[in-house]
Amino acid sequence: MDSVGVAAAAPDAGPGPAWQSKCPWGAPSTTSISCSLADVMSEQLAKELQLEEENAAFPEVVAAAEGPFITGENIDTSSDLMLAQMLQMEFDREYDAQLRREEKKINGDSKVSISFENYRKVHPYDSDSSEDEVDWQDTRHDPYRADKPTTTPRRGFIGKGKDITTKHDEVVCGRKNTARMENFAPEFQVGDGIGMDLKLSNQVFNALKQHAYSEERRSARLHEKKEHSTAEKAVDPKTRLLLYKMVNSGMLETITGCISTGKESVVFHAYGGNATEDKVIPPECAIKVFKTTLNEFKNRDKYIKDDYRFKDRFSKLNPRKIIRMWAEKEMHNLTRMQNAGIPCPQVVILKKHVLVMSFIGQDQVPAPKLKDVTLSSEDMKKAYYQILNMMQQLYRECNLVHADLSEYNMLWHDEKVWLIDVSQSVEPTHPHGLEFLFRDCRNVSQFFQKGGVAEALNERELFNAVSGLNITADNEVDFQAEIEALEKMNEDHVQNHGKKLSTFSSDGDPPIYDE
Ligand code: ADP
Ligand code: MN
């Protein structure tokens, strides 16, 4: 018997995968289908079953998924912890506002001024991975409103006869505009211009005003308690707070909803917010939240435990920190790839176990996985050569093996393949690095051979082409054995000499195995 009935596992229910349909959580299907034993054992099926389970666990999410996930106004206030933390944030902000007023009072018109910057409780959002739990950072919003702008005299002009100046006079108007900047919310940075004879054109002033107001509105939204979205229940309160901070700080505009939920992570889509001095936020972002609650990560110990980059830290860490490390790994690996010019998401910010990156796709629609897209034979061939090239670059330039490379982790966007999901990627000298590479090669070869690319190398040829090694075994078993022998050789060398055979820096050369 090779057919096993599996209830509630209908990956083909509806057009396309769940994340592509309107409701990203999908409605669980109850039809039972039969599938082969191989299917039952498959990772992907396990993922799909997991998804079904989560749909059952968070049924409310389905209804809420239509609206945005976090906009700054729909935050869930049902949790006491959350409420307390939000109050603390507000308190801190009011405290800072008070500081700012004091600062202003003391400084007055003086050319030399003192700053209370160091006493502020909140700071602009940055990428530090500090340990503090409440690291709310926002310096722009103030619940206190400024005075009303001074109005122009009703008759609209002053002077008499020839000397008449109207409110439209360029100089008067420019000065007035500059003065009016004082009426922007106090935390709106207007520079020193107010004390000088600076003239602002109407156009510039209006643009500034518009910006100041929209900032203020964003701040005001905070103070309104509105109906909250239950979609937030998909992540724990601490994570929700973290996401909320990102929106509240203006870094993100809105978090629209969930685009994927897997065993180890939940991925959200968001619209990017304001750029900061040193950072441009992409118009659309993907937020990968590494799950802190599930223990599936235990299965992945072998990836990280043996990764020398994390070795010293691993033993001392608690599970929460280990999960942060996954996020950190994904960030570092993406950065290496970015530097090598491999198409992949660009890192925006890492905050604890939450990684914000650029979104591959458009208008909230993620680019399809290679497994879900039907390519012309020409594109298929193009994709194959591109991947071959990327695998080589990854190995040689980034000193990395993807370690979960398959049609599930490659997206088709802009006529090319993008690599994602690199938290588990390791360096080739990882004790299992070459085995992981061989598995990657097998996935890629099989996909393209099945996809009708006649030029596709078999997995052994591909392995040699990527690694530059020359393993001659002509069958899988022997090939695998040689790979393991190489790995062992490297490990023995490490044991004896305390150093890898290869020379490597963080973005250095690939390992060269002495044979
Ligand atoms: P997992 O470990 O759950 O497989 P992935 O990084 O593969 O995590 O992300 C899961 C899914 O989320 C992907 O298959 C893809 O559809 C979507 N996704 C992840 N990152 C992005 C991104 N930067 N842009 C668009 N979609 C993304
Ligand atoms: Mn994936």
Side-chain angles (χ1 to χ4, degrees):
M1 192 191 100
D2 67 350
S3 207
V4 184
V6 177
D12 55 347
W19 51 265
Q20 246 181 1
S21 61
K22 193 158 185 213
C23 160
W25 296 82
S29 157
T30 48
T31 45
S32 67
I33 55 147
S34 30
C35 56
S36 72
L37 192 57
D39 282 349
V40 176
M41 301 304 290
S42 101
E43 270 277 303
Q44 195 56 30
L45 188 62
K47 270 196 175 177
E48 273 154 14
L49 285 170
Q50 164 92 18
L51 185 77
E52 303 271 346
E53 258 172 50
E54 292 193 6
N55 282 345
F58 307 113
E60 325 88 297
V61 167
V62 175
E66 297 286 332
F69 180 71
I70 293 180
T71 58
E73 58 188 37
N74 61 350
I75 194 78
D76 175 18
T77 47
S78 60
S79 138
D80 285 349
L81 172 72
M82 188 88 144
L83 213 55
Q85 283 169 325
M86 286 171 70
L87 281 170
Q88 182 66 46
M89 285 183 200
E90 298 223 355
F91 173 83
D92 290 347
R93 240 198 330 251
E94 286 178 26
Y95 173 86
D96 283 358
Q98 181 63 35
L99 264 189
R100 255 181 245 117
R101 279 191 297 273
E102 297 272 341
E103 201 177 78
K104 210 167 170 180
K105 207 162 103 191
I106 292 174
N107 289 332
D109 286 335
S110 162
K111 285 257 188 293
V112 185
S113 61
I114 59 155
S115 166
F116 289 167
E117 189 61 39
N118 292 341
Y119 297 95
R120 293 211 181 131
K121 302 216 182 223
V122 291
H123 301 278
Y125 220 110
D126 58 21
S127 55
D128 78 327
S129 38
S130 60
E131 295 300 312
D132 46 326
E133 287 302 317
V134 179
D135 51 357
W136 166 239
Q137 310 151 359
D138 186 310
T139 52
R140 281 171 300 167
H141 308 310
D142 189 331
Y144 297 97
R145 292 213 164 202
D147 302 328
K148 279 239 157 71
T150 43
T151 51
T152 35
R154 194 166 288 162
R155 58 191 173 132
F157 61 92
I158 35 176
K160 273 183 184 164
K162 255 189 159 165
D163 294 331
I164 204 163
T165 32
T166 72
K167 63 180 173 184
H168 302 295
D169 179 87
E170 222 172 21
V171 174
V172 172
C173 186
R175 282 195 190 123
K176 204 168 274 169
N177 282 343
T178 306
R180 281 159 76 191
M181 286 205 302
E182 262 210 285
N183 298 310
F184 291 164
E187 70 286 355
F188 190 82
Q189 306 281 333
V190 292
D192 302 324
I194 286 164
M196 296 151 62
D197 188 21
L198 190 75
K199 291 137 211 137
L200 270 189
S201 78
N202 280 345
Q203 202 189 356
V204 173
F205 175 76
N206 282 333
L208 280 172
K209 187 175 81 177
Q210 206 51 48
H211 183 65
Y213 282 2
S214 69
E215 286 302 296
E216 229 179 306
R217 270 203 305 280
R218 192 204 293 283
S219 159
R221 277 194 229 141
L222 244 181
H223 303 268
E224 292 169 27
K225 236 198 283 170
K226 284 203 176 163
E227 205 182 276
H228 62 261
S229 160
T230 45
E232 295 153 20
K233 295 211 168 70
V235 292
D236 60 65
K238 271 190 185 151
T239 309
R240 240 177 291 155
L241 200 68
L242 242 157
L243 296 176
Y244 172 64
K245 283 182 195 175
M246 290 179 178
V247 174
N248 200 25
S249 71
M251 192 192 85
L252 297 177
E253 175 68 42
T254 22
I255 300 176
T256 60
C258 173
I259 48 177
S260 159
T261 166
K263 270 190 284 185
E264 293 128 354
S265 73
V266 185
V267 180
F268 295 96
H269 170 275
Y271 283 109
N274 302 321
T276 57
E277 286 155 28
D278 56 343
K279 201 168 282 163
V280 179
I281 314 288
E284 290 186 79
C285 296
I287 308 170
K288 186 164 177 178
V289 178
F290 289 76
K291 286 192 184 173
T292 49
T293 48
L294 298 177
N295 53 12
E296 261 81 6
F297 275 100
K298 290 212 182 89
N299 305 334
R300 301 174 74 184
D301 276 6
K302 68 172 174 182
Y303 289 95
I304 210 163
K305 206 160 54 189
D306 297 330
D307 189 326
Y308 82 97
R309 293 180 291 170
F310 295 89
K311 216 163 197 159
D312 294 341
R313 294 160 61 189
F314 190 81
S315 55
K316 303 173 202 133
L317 296 176
N318 63 31
R320 204 164 43 109
K321 288 193 179 151
I322 289 172
I323 279 142
R324 282 191 198 178
M325 211 141 87
W326 285 107
E328 203 184 306
K329 265 189 71 149
E330 177 129 33
M331 178 188 72
H332 289 312
N333 293 341
L334 282 176
T335 308
R336 282 194 198 185
M337 289 160 72
Q338 197 79 42
N339 290 341
I342 295 172
C344 67
Q346 187 167 8
V347 173
V348 176
I349 201 172
L350 171 74
K351 205 70 189 167
K352 295 178 182 165
H353 58 290
V354 175
L355 179 67
V356 182
M357 54 190 150
S358 64
F359 180 71
I360 313 302
Q362 211 186 346
D363 299 331
Q364 295 187 45
V365 182
K369 298 182 182 76
L370 221 49
K371 74 160 186 98
D372 292 318
V373 75
T374 318
L375 297 181
S376 68
S377 56
E378 204 174 298
D379 277 346
M380 199 68 176
K381 196 167 131 183
K382 200 169 105 183
Y384 174 73
Y385 281 111
Q386 195 206 327
I387 290 164
L388 173 61
N389 205 24
M390 286 198 293
M391 288 177 81
Q392 287 175 333
Q393 272 185 293
L394 198 61
Y395 192 93
R396 292 170 197 186
E397 291 168 42
C398 309
N399 199 27
L400 285 176
V401 168
H402 187 290
D404 193 16
L405 192 66
S406 75
E407 59 276 26
Y408 289 88
N409 282 330
M410 296 191 266
L411 305 182
W412 181 253
H413 179 64
D414 248 0
E415 300 283 295
K416 61 180 176 228
V417 179
W418 298 65
L419 296 188
I420 58 161
D421 203 359
V422 290
S423 61
Q424 73 295 314
S425 300
V426 296
E427 299 200 341
T429 47
H430 180 286
H432 302 288
L434 296 182
E435 288 166 78
F436 296 149
L437 176 63
F438 189 50
R439 196 177 57 192
D440 286 354
C441 290
R442 192 188 299 133
N443 290 338
V444 169
S445 289
Q446 280 177 3
F447 179 75
F448 285 98
Q449 282 173 345
K450 274 186 198 157
V453 177
E455 294 86 347
L457 302 172
N458 71 35
E459 60 256 42
R460 297 186 300 279
E461 294 164 336
L462 183 58
F463 180 92
N464 283 337
V466 170
S467 65
L469 295 167
N470 188 22
I471 299 182
T472 48
D474 60 355
N475 68 79
E476 170 128 12
V477 176
D478 291 347
F479 201 91
Q480 192 106 33
E482 280 200 44
I483 287 177
E484 281 166 33
L486 278 179
E487 287 176 340
K488 182 146 191 321
M489 214 168 75
N490 192 50
E491 272 312 283
D492 289 347
H493 190 90
V494 174
Q495 296 285 323
N496 297 336
H497 300 84
K499 218 175 143 215
K500 301 262 174 187
L501 279 176
S502 58
T503 43
F504 46 169
S505 61
S506 65
D507 348 71
D509 304 322
I512 315 289
Y513 288 85
D514 296 332
E515 282 184 70

